[in-house]
Amino acid sequence: MTVSIAASHARGKFATDKIFGASAAANKDVAKYGNEVVVNATIGAILDDKETLVCLPTVEKVFRNLPMNEVINYAPIAGLPDYLEAAMALTFADNRPEAYTAAVATAGGSGVIHHTIANYTEIGDTLLTSDWYWGPYKVLCEDALRKLDTYTLFDEKQKFNIKSFESKVNELLAKQNSVVALINTPAHNPTGYSLTDSEWDSVLDVAKTAAKDQSKRIVLMVDIAYLDYAGEKNESRAFMKKFSNLPDNVLIILAFSMSKGYTMYGQRTGAIIGVSSSKEIIKEFEDINQYTSRATWSNINRGCMRLLATIYNDKAILAQVEKERNEYYSLIRERSNIFMREAKEANLHMLPYIAGFFLTIPAKNPDAVCEKLHDDHIFAVPLAKGVRIAVCAVPSAKITGMAGKVAQALAAV
Ligand code: PLP
């Protein structure tokens, strides 16, 4: 037995991060062969066509002009009130549901997931997400002594598999009093899928049907990390209107994050936004999440909260930020369009991509495929059942020809 001083539940914890592993391999290849030949499709951030990390220019300007005391000072535990207002307004745009809403500041979208697990599941409970999911969901669940189960995301028509979702919700509710489902849409990581409005209707029908049993609680945590790169502003938010007049035992949580939408990845600023028909449930939501913030990280980044409030409260600045972001949205579209067109030509099957930073090619042996791609100096992230390509990070010139090479690698292993 290896020597350990850790508590029994902490023993053996070890974060193996495939994304950082793949990215390190790409950097090694760059050092050896030069940047021109290497295609690094592992990075989950926007790189421009010169492969430089993008900060939206107006976001940078506002951030640099903040008074120093706004950058360094503590903030209220719940978050700056005008930040919370801005976060909610920017999340809903014209699609505010008829419901009570409240927000509490968190350390990014990750902080929202942390609080959702901590406050809406029992220790030992199982949470639910789709079989294609962002790896840290599981780490967050297991570190909090919970488990994570999955439903099948796609049916045979490559649409949202509502049957699988429904049967897993009911299976979990048969053994525990609440179910928390983590739903990453629109522009899902890793596939790029977005639930349609009618698929949202079906998801909410499942929740409402389950909620008929008053002893059960249903929480849908919608991970909107990529919302601002999902298409037209109000179209991509139209589903939020459907959160009106839900039963009291259904709670919607939205995971607002400034990481992607405002290119503030490392500044760790987000908000947990609650939507409920019950005033009491929303009051409880504010109280318990604020308490968990105090117990987890105290307050969060004041400067970044001030940044969002400043952007939101000046229409011209906001319009400029949205314009700049839309240009990068178009850039990502252009890159993904090239990949999709060439994938079709090469008969390469990919999962349905609607929008977002990533697209995915299913594979039987993802590690071997990624390894094989290294021969062509292409670096992607091997997932459990596929290969993830970060179209956010690869210039169009380097995307060109990539699908064909992926097809060849798949055939070779
Ligand atoms: N959810 C998904 C699906 C993500 O890909 C990410 C970041 O990569 C996040 C949430 C959380 O991001 P952050 O904690 O930086 O807001």
Side-chain angles (χ1 to χ4, degrees), residues 145-171:
L145 310 180
R146 274 75 164 176
K147 300 179 208 82
L148 183 65
D149 197 358
T150 59
Y151 58 91
T152 308
L153 179 55
F154 297 116
D155 62 16
E156 55 294 339
K157 291 188 182 133
Q158 301 286 284
K159 297 288 176 204
F160 184 77
N161 195 331
I162 189 68
K163 284 209 179 86
S164 179
F165 176 74
E166 181 173 29
S167 80
K168 279 289 177 179
V169 165
N170 293 333
E171 185 187 314

PDB file of all heavy atoms in Angstrom, residues 145-171:
ATOM      1  N   LEU A 145     -18.432  13.977  -3.232  1.00  0.00           N
ATOM      2  CA  LEU A 145     -18.951  12.691  -2.755  1.00  0.00           C
ATOM      3  C   LEU A 145     -20.321  12.364  -3.356  1.00  0.00           C
ATOM      4  O   LEU A 145     -21.186  11.775  -2.724  1.00  0.00           O
ATOM      5  CB  LEU A 145     -19.000  12.641  -1.220  1.00  0.00           C
ATOM      6  CG  LEU A 145     -17.711  13.064  -0.507  1.00  0.00           C
ATOM      7  CD1 LEU A 145     -17.875  12.973   1.004  1.00  0.00           C
ATOM      8  CD2 LEU A 145     -16.518  12.221  -0.961  1.00  0.00           C
ATOM      9  N   ARG A 146     -20.520  12.791  -4.594  1.00  0.00           N
ATOM     10  CA  ARG A 146     -21.697  12.426  -5.375  1.00  0.00           C
ATOM     11  C   ARG A 146     -21.231  11.612  -6.585  1.00  0.00           C
ATOM     12  O   ARG A 146     -20.035  11.504  -6.854  1.00  0.00           O
ATOM     13  CB  ARG A 146     -22.422  13.678  -5.901  1.00  0.00           C
ATOM     14  CG  ARG A 146     -23.419  14.301  -4.943  1.00  0.00           C
ATOM     15  CD  ARG A 146     -22.759  15.057  -3.843  1.00  0.00           C
ATOM     16  NE  ARG A 146     -23.673  15.958  -3.158  1.00  0.00           N
ATOM     17  CZ  ARG A 146     -23.338  16.684  -2.095  1.00  0.00           C
ATOM     18  NH1 ARG A 146     -22.114  16.618  -1.580  1.00  0.00           N
ATOM     19  NH2 ARG A 146     -24.214  17.475  -1.527  1.00  0.00           N
ATOM     20  N   LYS A 147     -22.213  11.082  -7.336  1.00  0.00           N
ATOM     21  CA  LYS A 147     -21.865  10.313  -8.535  1.00  0.00           C
ATOM     22  C   LYS A 147     -22.487  10.988  -9.756  1.00  0.00           C
ATOM     23  O   LYS A 147     -23.371  11.839  -9.610  1.00  0.00           O
ATOM     24  CB  LYS A 147     -22.406   8.880  -8.413  1.00  0.00           C
ATOM     25  CG  LYS A 147     -21.853   8.128  -7.222  1.00  0.00           C
ATOM     26  CD  LYS A 147     -22.468   6.725  -7.152  1.00  0.00           C
ATOM     27  CE  LYS A 147     -22.513   6.202  -5.728  1.00  0.00           C
ATOM     28  NZ  LYS A 147     -23.635   6.664  -4.919  1.00  0.00           N
ATOM     29  N   LEU A 148     -22.029  10.577 -10.920  1.00  0.00           N
ATOM     30  CA  LEU A 148     -22.586  11.130 -12.153  1.00  0.00           C
ATOM     31  C   LEU A 148     -22.997   9.987 -13.069  1.00  0.00           C
ATOM     32  O   LEU A 148     -22.219   9.076 -13.323  1.00  0.00           O
ATOM     33  CB  LEU A 148     -21.534  12.009 -12.853  1.00  0.00           C
ATOM     34  CG  LEU A 148     -21.998  12.727 -14.127  1.00  0.00           C
ATOM     35  CD1 LEU A 148     -23.083  13.763 -13.827  1.00  0.00           C
ATOM     36  CD2 LEU A 148     -20.817  13.407 -14.830  1.00  0.00           C
ATOM     37  N   ASP A 149     -24.252  10.018 -13.530  1.00  0.00           N
ATOM     38  CA  ASP A 149     -24.742   9.025 -14.486  1.00  0.00           C
ATOM     39  C   ASP A 149     -25.071   9.755 -15.790  1.00  0.00           C
ATOM     40  O   ASP A 149     -25.222  10.983 -15.792  1.00  0.00           O
ATOM     41  CB  ASP A 149     -25.980   8.319 -13.922  1.00  0.00           C
ATOM     42  CG  ASP A 149     -26.276   7.015 -14.652  1.00  0.00           C
ATOM     43  OD1 ASP A 149     -25.544   6.679 -15.606  1.00  0.00           O
ATOM     44  OD2 ASP A 149     -27.264   6.332 -14.274  1.00  0.00           O
ATOM     45  N   THR A 150     -25.190   9.001 -16.870  1.00  0.00           N
ATOM     46  CA  THR A 150     -25.431   9.654 -18.162  1.00  0.00           C
ATOM     47  C   THR A 150     -26.604   9.043 -18.911  1.00  0.00           C
ATOM     48  O   THR A 150     -26.892   7.854 -18.779  1.00  0.00           O
ATOM     49  CB  THR A 150     -24.186   9.555 -19.074  1.00  0.00           C
ATOM     50  OG1 THR A 150     -23.862   8.185 -19.272  1.00  0.00           O
ATOM     51  CG2 THR A 150     -23.002  10.292 -18.486  1.00  0.00           C
ATOM     52  N   TYR A 151     -27.271   9.880 -19.698  1.00  0.00           N
ATOM     53  CA  TYR A 151     -28.245   9.393 -20.689  1.00  0.00           C
ATOM     54  C   TYR A 151     -27.573   9.522 -22.058  1.00  0.00           C
ATOM     55  O   TYR A 151     -26.542  10.198 -22.189  1.00  0.00           O
ATOM     56  CB  TYR A 151     -29.559  10.193 -20.628  1.00  0.00           C
ATOM     57  CG  TYR A 151     -29.409  11.678 -20.836  1.00  0.00           C
ATOM     58  CD1 TYR A 151     -29.496  12.255 -22.103  1.00  0.00           C
ATOM     59  CD2 TYR A 151     -29.165  12.524 -19.752  1.00  0.00           C
ATOM     60  CE1 TYR A 151     -29.348  13.628 -22.290  1.00  0.00           C
ATOM     61  CE2 TYR A 151     -29.008  13.894 -19.928  1.00  0.00           C
ATOM     62  CZ  TYR A 151     -29.105  14.434 -21.198  1.00  0.00           C
ATOM     63  OH  TYR A 151     -28.945  15.785 -21.374  1.00  0.00           O
ATOM     64  N   THR A 152     -28.167   8.882 -23.048  1.00  0.00           N
ATOM     65  CA  THR A 152     -27.601   8.951 -24.392  1.00  0.00           C
ATOM     66  C   THR A 152     -28.064  10.252 -25.038  1.00  0.00           C
ATOM     67  O   THR A 152     -29.265  10.507 -25.121  1.00  0.00           O
ATOM     68  CB  THR A 152     -28.091   7.735 -25.217  1.00  0.00           C
ATOM     69  OG1 THR A 152     -27.809   6.561 -24.452  1.00  0.00           O
ATOM     70  CG2 THR A 152     -27.389   7.636 -26.544  1.00  0.00           C
ATOM     71  N   LEU A 153     -27.093  11.076 -25.458  1.00  0.00           N
ATOM     72  CA  LEU A 153     -27.459  12.408 -25.966  1.00  0.00           C
ATOM     73  C   LEU A 153     -28.229  12.345 -27.280  1.00  0.00           C
ATOM     74  O   LEU A 153     -29.204  13.067 -27.454  1.00  0.00           O
ATOM     75  CB  LEU A 153     -26.181  13.253 -26.143  1.00  0.00           C
ATOM     76  CG  LEU A 153     -26.351  14.676 -26.686  1.00  0.00           C
ATOM     77  CD1 LEU A 153     -27.328  15.503 -25.853  1.00  0.00           C
ATOM     78  CD2 LEU A 153     -25.004  15.389 -26.751  1.00  0.00           C
ATOM     79  N   PHE A 154     -27.797  11.468 -28.192  1.00  0.00           N
ATOM     80  CA  PHE A 154     -28.405  11.466 -29.526  1.00  0.00           C
ATOM     81  C   PHE A 154     -29.191  10.192 -29.785  1.00  0.00           C
ATOM     82  O   PHE A 154     -28.775   9.100 -29.384  1.00  0.00           O
ATOM     83  CB  PHE A 154     -27.325  11.611 -30.600  1.00  0.00           C
ATOM     84  CG  PHE A 154     -26.595  12.931 -30.510  1.00  0.00           C
ATOM     85  CD1 PHE A 154     -25.240  12.961 -30.217  1.00  0.00           C
ATOM     86  CD2 PHE A 154     -27.270  14.127 -30.687  1.00  0.00           C
ATOM     87  CE1 PHE A 154     -24.568  14.172 -30.123  1.00  0.00           C
ATOM     88  CE2 PHE A 154     -26.599  15.349 -30.587  1.00  0.00           C
ATOM     89  CZ  PHE A 154     -25.252  15.373 -30.297  1.00  0.00           C
ATOM     90  N   ASP A 155     -30.330  10.347 -30.496  1.00  0.00           N
ATOM     91  CA  ASP A 155     -31.066   9.159 -30.939  1.00  0.00           C
ATOM     92  C   ASP A 155     -30.543   8.754 -32.320  1.00  0.00           C
ATOM     93  O   ASP A 155     -29.583   9.332 -32.832  1.00  0.00           O
ATOM     94  CB  ASP A 155     -32.586   9.415 -30.915  1.00  0.00           C
ATOM     95  CG  ASP A 155     -33.005  10.529 -31.871  1.00  0.00           C
ATOM     96  OD1 ASP A 155     -32.201  10.895 -32.759  1.00  0.00           O
ATOM     97  OD2 ASP A 155     -34.127  11.033 -31.734  1.00  0.00           O
ATOM     98  N   GLU A 156     -31.228   7.789 -32.949  1.00  0.00           N
ATOM     99  CA  GLU A 156     -30.713   7.280 -34.231  1.00  0.00           C
ATOM    100  C   GLU A 156     -30.794   8.337 -35.343  1.00  0.00           C
ATOM    101  O   GLU A 156     -30.104   8.252 -36.349  1.00  0.00           O
ATOM    102  CB  GLU A 156     -31.383   5.943 -34.630  1.00  0.00           C
ATOM    103  CG  GLU A 156     -32.898   5.888 -34.703  1.00  0.00           C
ATOM    104  CD  GLU A 156     -33.601   6.069 -33.353  1.00  0.00           C
ATOM    105  OE1 GLU A 156     -32.991   5.852 -32.271  1.00  0.00           O
ATOM    106  OE2 GLU A 156     -34.777   6.455 -33.387  1.00  0.00           O
ATOM    107  N   LYS A 157     -31.624   9.369 -35.110  1.00  0.00           N
ATOM    108  CA  LYS A 157     -31.701  10.451 -36.121  1.00  0.00           C
ATOM    109  C   LYS A 157     -30.751  11.594 -35.778  1.00  0.00           C
ATOM    110  O   LYS A 157     -30.856  12.679 -36.334  1.00  0.00           O
ATOM    111  CB  LYS A 157     -33.130  10.975 -36.192  1.00  0.00           C
ATOM    112  CG  LYS A 157     -34.094   9.978 -36.792  1.00  0.00           C
ATOM    113  CD  LYS A 157     -35.447  10.650 -37.018  1.00  0.00           C
ATOM    114  CE  LYS A 157     -36.441   9.672 -37.572  1.00  0.00           C
ATOM    115  NZ  LYS A 157     -37.732   9.737 -36.855  1.00  0.00           N
ATOM    116  N   GLN A 158     -29.891  11.365 -34.800  1.00  0.00           N
ATOM    117  CA  GLN A 158     -28.925  12.394 -34.371  1.00  0.00           C
ATOM    118  C   GLN A 158     -29.622  13.634 -33.787  1.00  0.00           C
ATOM    119  O   GLN A 158     -29.158  14.762 -33.936  1.00  0.00           O
ATOM    120  CB  GLN A 158     -28.001  12.803 -35.533  1.00  0.00           C
ATOM    121  CG  GLN A 158     -27.205  11.636 -36.105  1.00  0.00           C
ATOM    122  CD  GLN A 158     -26.076  11.200 -35.179  1.00  0.00           C
ATOM    123  OE1 GLN A 158     -25.049  11.847 -35.084  1.00  0.00           O
ATOM    124  NE2 GLN A 158     -26.269  10.090 -34.481  1.00  0.00           N
ATOM    125  N   LYS A 159     -30.782  13.368 -33.141  1.00  0.00           N
ATOM    126  CA  LYS A 159     -31.490  14.436 -32.434  1.00  0.00           C
ATOM    127  C   LYS A 159     -31.420  14.135 -30.939  1.00  0.00           C
ATOM    128  O   LYS A 159     -31.065  13.027 -30.532  1.00  0.00           O
ATOM    129  CB  LYS A 159     -32.968  14.473 -32.870  1.00  0.00           C
ATOM    130  CG  LYS A 159     -33.155  14.794 -34.332  1.00  0.00           C
ATOM    131  CD  LYS A 159     -32.847  16.252 -34.580  1.00  0.00           C
ATOM    132  CE  LYS A 159     -32.918  16.605 -36.047  1.00  0.00           C
ATOM    133  NZ  LYS A 159     -32.105  17.778 -36.364  1.00  0.00           N
ATOM    134  N   PHE A 160     -31.831  15.109 -30.113  1.00  0.00           N
ATOM    135  CA  PHE A 160     -31.793  14.915 -28.667  1.00  0.00           C
ATOM    136  C   PHE A 160     -32.612  13.683 -28.288  1.00  0.00           C
ATOM    137  O   PHE A 160     -33.785  13.553 -28.662  1.00  0.00           O
ATOM    138  CB  PHE A 160     -32.336  16.157 -27.955  1.00  0.00           C
ATOM    139  CG  PHE A 160     -32.236  16.073 -26.462  1.00  0.00           C
ATOM    140  CD1 PHE A 160     -31.012  16.286 -25.822  1.00  0.00           C
ATOM    141  CD2 PHE A 160     -33.351  15.752 -25.684  1.00  0.00           C
ATOM    142  CE1 PHE A 160     -30.912  16.193 -24.442  1.00  0.00           C
ATOM    143  CE2 PHE A 160     -33.248  15.660 -24.297  1.00  0.00           C
ATOM    144  CZ  PHE A 160     -32.030  15.890 -23.683  1.00  0.00           C
ATOM    145  N   ASN A 161     -32.017  12.801 -27.516  1.00  0.00           N
ATOM    146  CA  ASN A 161     -32.653  11.520 -27.189  1.00  0.00           C
ATOM    147  C   ASN A 161     -33.531  11.675 -25.942  1.00  0.00           C
ATOM    148  O   ASN A 161     -33.141  11.334 -24.831  1.00  0.00           O
ATOM    149  CB  ASN A 161     -31.566  10.466 -26.968  1.00  0.00           C
ATOM    150  CG  ASN A 161     -32.129   9.074 -26.991  1.00  0.00           C
ATOM    151  OD1 ASN A 161     -33.290   8.857 -26.645  1.00  0.00           O
ATOM    152  ND2 ASN A 161     -31.306   8.120 -27.403  1.00  0.00           N
ATOM    153  N   ILE A 162     -34.725  12.160 -26.184  1.00  0.00           N
ATOM    154  CA  ILE A 162     -35.620  12.469 -25.075  1.00  0.00           C
ATOM    155  C   ILE A 162     -36.014  11.201 -24.295  1.00  0.00           C
ATOM    156  O   ILE A 162     -36.171  11.240 -23.075  1.00  0.00           O
ATOM    157  CB  ILE A 162     -36.869  13.266 -25.555  1.00  0.00           C
ATOM    158  CG1 ILE A 162     -37.696  13.778 -24.384  1.00  0.00           C
ATOM    159  CG2 ILE A 162     -37.705  12.478 -26.533  1.00  0.00           C
ATOM    160  CD1 ILE A 162     -37.022  14.851 -23.563  1.00  0.00           C
ATOM    161  N   LYS A 163     -36.120  10.077 -25.002  1.00  0.00           N
ATOM    162  CA  LYS A 163     -36.499   8.810 -24.337  1.00  0.00           C
ATOM    163  C   LYS A 163     -35.443   8.424 -23.312  1.00  0.00           C
ATOM    164  O   LYS A 163     -35.761   8.020 -22.192  1.00  0.00           O
ATOM    165  CB  LYS A 163     -36.648   7.689 -25.367  1.00  0.00           C
ATOM    166  CG  LYS A 163     -37.909   7.776 -26.166  1.00  0.00           C
ATOM    167  CD  LYS A 163     -38.361   6.374 -26.609  1.00  0.00           C
ATOM    168  CE  LYS A 163     -39.648   6.452 -27.383  1.00  0.00           C
ATOM    169  NZ  LYS A 163     -39.402   6.720 -28.836  1.00  0.00           N
ATOM    170  N   SER A 164     -34.198   8.540 -23.723  1.00  0.00           N
ATOM    171  CA  SER A 164     -33.111   8.177 -22.816  1.00  0.00           C
ATOM    172  C   SER A 164     -33.075   9.135 -21.626  1.00  0.00           C
ATOM    173  O   SER A 164     -32.915   8.718 -20.472  1.00  0.00           O
ATOM    174  CB  SER A 164     -31.781   8.202 -23.578  1.00  0.00           C
ATOM    175  OG  SER A 164     -30.731   7.886 -22.720  1.00  0.00           O
ATOM    176  N   PHE A 165     -33.278  10.432 -21.905  1.00  0.00           N
ATOM    177  CA  PHE A 165     -33.299  11.427 -20.824  1.00  0.00           C
ATOM    178  C   PHE A 165     -34.418  11.092 -19.839  1.00  0.00           C
ATOM    179  O   PHE A 165     -34.201  11.030 -18.621  1.00  0.00           O
ATOM    180  CB  PHE A 165     -33.502  12.827 -21.431  1.00  0.00           C
ATOM    181  CG  PHE A 165     -33.646  13.920 -20.399  1.00  0.00           C
ATOM    182  CD1 PHE A 165     -32.542  14.363 -19.686  1.00  0.00           C
ATOM    183  CD2 PHE A 165     -34.887  14.506 -20.149  1.00  0.00           C
ATOM    184  CE1 PHE A 165     -32.667  15.383 -18.737  1.00  0.00           C
ATOM    185  CE2 PHE A 165     -35.021  15.516 -19.200  1.00  0.00           C
ATOM    186  CZ  PHE A 165     -33.900  15.946 -18.493  1.00  0.00           C
ATOM    187  N   GLU A 166     -35.604  10.841 -20.375  1.00  0.00           N
ATOM    188  CA  GLU A 166     -36.761  10.576 -19.517  1.00  0.00           C
ATOM    189  C   GLU A 166     -36.559   9.325 -18.661  1.00  0.00           C
ATOM    190  O   GLU A 166     -36.826   9.330 -17.456  1.00  0.00           O
ATOM    191  CB  GLU A 166     -38.017  10.412 -20.382  1.00  0.00           C
ATOM    192  CG  GLU A 166     -39.266  10.152 -19.566  1.00  0.00           C
ATOM    193  CD  GLU A 166     -40.515  10.154 -20.421  1.00  0.00           C
ATOM    194  OE1 GLU A 166     -40.424   9.811 -21.628  1.00  0.00           O
ATOM    195  OE2 GLU A 166     -41.568  10.519 -19.886  1.00  0.00           O
ATOM    196  N   SER A 167     -36.040   8.279 -19.289  1.00  0.00           N
ATOM    197  CA  SER A 167     -35.919   7.045 -18.506  1.00  0.00           C
ATOM    198  C   SER A 167     -34.861   7.190 -17.410  1.00  0.00           C
ATOM    199  O   SER A 167     -35.036   6.658 -16.302  1.00  0.00           O
ATOM    200  CB  SER A 167     -35.699   5.827 -19.405  1.00  0.00           C
ATOM    201  OG  SER A 167     -34.374   5.760 -19.789  1.00  0.00           O
ATOM    202  N   LYS A 168     -33.807   7.951 -17.669  1.00  0.00           N
ATOM    203  CA  LYS A 168     -32.787   8.151 -16.615  1.00  0.00           C
ATOM    204  C   LYS A 168     -33.313   9.043 -15.491  1.00  0.00           C
ATOM    205  O   LYS A 168     -33.026   8.799 -14.310  1.00  0.00           O
ATOM    206  CB  LYS A 168     -31.521   8.773 -17.219  1.00  0.00           C
ATOM    207  CG  LYS A 168     -30.621   7.769 -17.881  1.00  0.00           C
ATOM    208  CD  LYS A 168     -29.931   6.860 -16.867  1.00  0.00           C
ATOM    209  CE  LYS A 168     -29.083   5.815 -17.562  1.00  0.00           C
ATOM    210  NZ  LYS A 168     -28.381   4.934 -16.620  1.00  0.00           N
ATOM    211  N   VAL A 169     -34.088  10.076 -15.848  1.00  0.00           N
ATOM    212  CA  VAL A 169     -34.672  10.940 -14.808  1.00  0.00           C
ATOM    213  C   VAL A 169     -35.543  10.083 -13.896  1.00  0.00           C
ATOM    214  O   VAL A 169     -35.441  10.139 -12.657  1.00  0.00           O
ATOM    215  CB  VAL A 169     -35.500  12.098 -15.448  1.00  0.00           C
ATOM    216  CG1 VAL A 169     -36.398  12.765 -14.408  1.00  0.00           C
ATOM    217  CG2 VAL A 169     -34.568  13.125 -16.086  1.00  0.00           C
ATOM    218  N   ASN A 170     -36.387   9.241 -14.512  1.00  0.00           N
ATOM    219  CA  ASN A 170     -37.296   8.421 -13.703  1.00  0.00           C
ATOM    220  C   ASN A 170     -36.560   7.357 -12.902  1.00  0.00           C
ATOM    221  O   ASN A 170     -36.915   7.076 -11.751  1.00  0.00           O
ATOM    222  CB  ASN A 170     -38.383   7.813 -14.595  1.00  0.00           C
ATOM    223  CG  ASN A 170     -39.283   8.919 -15.141  1.00  0.00           C
ATOM    224  OD1 ASN A 170     -39.422   9.978 -14.518  1.00  0.00           O
ATOM    225  ND2 ASN A 170     -39.854   8.701 -16.313  1.00  0.00           N
ATOM    226  N   GLU A 171     -35.511   6.807 -13.503  1.00  0.00           N
ATOM    227  CA  GLU A 171     -34.708   5.799 -12.796  1.00  0.00           C
ATOM    228  C   GLU A 171     -34.080   6.424 -11.533  1.00  0.00           C
ATOM    229  O   GLU A 171     -34.124   5.826 -10.456  1.00  0.00           O
ATOM    230  CB  GLU A 171     -33.615   5.313 -13.751  1.00  0.00           C
ATOM    231  CG  GLU A 171     -32.759   4.184 -13.245  1.00  0.00           C
ATOM    232  CD  GLU A 171     -31.604   3.900 -14.217  1.00  0.00           C
ATOM    233  OE1 GLU A 171     -31.838   3.824 -15.453  1.00  0.00           O
ATOM    234  OE2 GLU A 171     -30.458   3.767 -13.730  1.00  0.00           O
TER     235      GLU A 171
END
